[in-house]
Amino acid sequence: MAQAVSVRLDDLALRALSQLEATGLTRSEAIRIALVEAASRLADRKALAAEVAALESDDADRAEMALVADLMESLRAPR
């Protein structure tokens, strides 16, 4: 069973909530969707950061990236 939670919203959050409610969502639906989507985006950013860290720590991958960057630089039109 869901637990009722009381929160205080500032003006910016209230305007955003009003925009979501204007789409036909109930206040509860809008808040639930916003919370779930925000948590998902946070998890996505953490996963991406971990992937970047893994790639940056791979010496062979970094060497290949440098080769590709050098190739791209050599193909660039003169300034």
Side-chain angles (χ1 to χ4, degrees), residues 9-41:
L9 303 177
D10 61 13
D11 289 339
L12 180 61
L14 285 170
R15 282 194 301 275
L17 181 57
S18 292
Q19 288 177 326
L20 292 172
E21 289 176 312
T23 68
L25 294 172
T26 67
R27 181 166 282 215
S28 293
E29 289 169 334
I31 292 169
R32 278 194 301 272
I33 290 169
L35 288 171
V36 169
E37 288 180 0
S40 177
R41 284 191 304 275

Side-chain angles (χ1 to χ4, degrees), residues 33-56:
I33 290 169
L35 288 171
V36 169
E37 288 180 0
S40 177
R41 284 191 304 275
L42 181 60
D44 290 346
R45 281 195 301 267
K46 287 181 179 180
L48 181 58
E51 184 176 344
V52 168
L55 290 172
E56 288 178 343

